[in-house]
């Protein structure tokens, strides 16, 4: 098979895989009142602390309007808060609140179990993650 023949199948396979994993993760998030996009924002904030909306867009791949709605909901739920950047007062940083950090810890365990289950079903989890990481870095 030529590489150009594999490309549409690769794109389709990756899209289907992403949707399948998202659906499985949503199964553990939804009963706890959290959307997948909210999870991605919470996870980014837990990993790196206060991030600007631009930083969050890069890390979550959410569009600006979607990200604004997600952060607004997290702020309304007291899981996150906004703070003016001390170095550049034109920028606003988003942080997880203590409530948000506790919620993230609980959810991270559940999401981790789902991800582990998915990866082990693929046979060689380390190789899969390495290959996906290379794709994401290109």
């Amino acid at each position: 098979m030529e590489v150009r023949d594999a490309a549409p199948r690769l794109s389709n396979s990756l899209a289907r895989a992403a949707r399948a994993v998202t659906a499985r993760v949503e199964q553990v998030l939804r009963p706890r009142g959290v959307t997948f996009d909210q999870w991605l924002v919470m996870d980014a904030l837990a990993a790196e602390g206060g991030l600007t909306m631009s930083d969050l867009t890069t890390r979550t791949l959410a569009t600006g309007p979607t990200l604004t709605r997600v952060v607004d909901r997290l702020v309304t739920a007291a899981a996150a808060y906004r703070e003016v950047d001390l170095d550049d007062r034109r920028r606003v940083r988003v942080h997880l609140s203590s409530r948000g950090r506790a919620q993230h810890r609980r959810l991270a365990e559940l999401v981790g179990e789902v991800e582990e289950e998915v990866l082990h079903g693929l046979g060689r989890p380390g190789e899969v993650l390495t290959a996906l990481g290379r794709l994401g870095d290109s």
Side-chain angles (χ1 to χ4, degrees), residues 1-8:
M1 173 187 342
E2 291 186 33
V3 171
R4 72 180 156 184
D5 293 337

Side-chain angles (χ1 to χ4, degrees), residues 8-75:
R9 284 184 241 169
L10 174 63
S11 299
N12 189 287
S13 294
L14 287 172
R16 290 172 62 85
R19 288 181 183 150
V21 171
T22 299
R24 296 210 30 210
V25 170
E26 284 176 336
Q27 287 177 345
V28 299
L29 296 175
R30 195 175 300 116
R32 289 150 183 91
V34 177
T35 67
F36 187 74
D37 285 329
Q38 287 171 327
W39 164 250
L40 292 177
V41 169
M42 291 173 74
D43 199 45
L45 293 173
E48 299 188 50
L51 296 172
T52 65
M53 293 297 277
S54 177
D55 294 335
L56 283 170
T57 299
T58 300
R59 284 162 182 79
T60 65
L61 303 178
T63 63
T66 296
L67 189 59
T68 298
R69 267 192 312 277
V70 167
V71 170
D72 285 347
R73 287 186 183 135
L74 289 172
V75 169

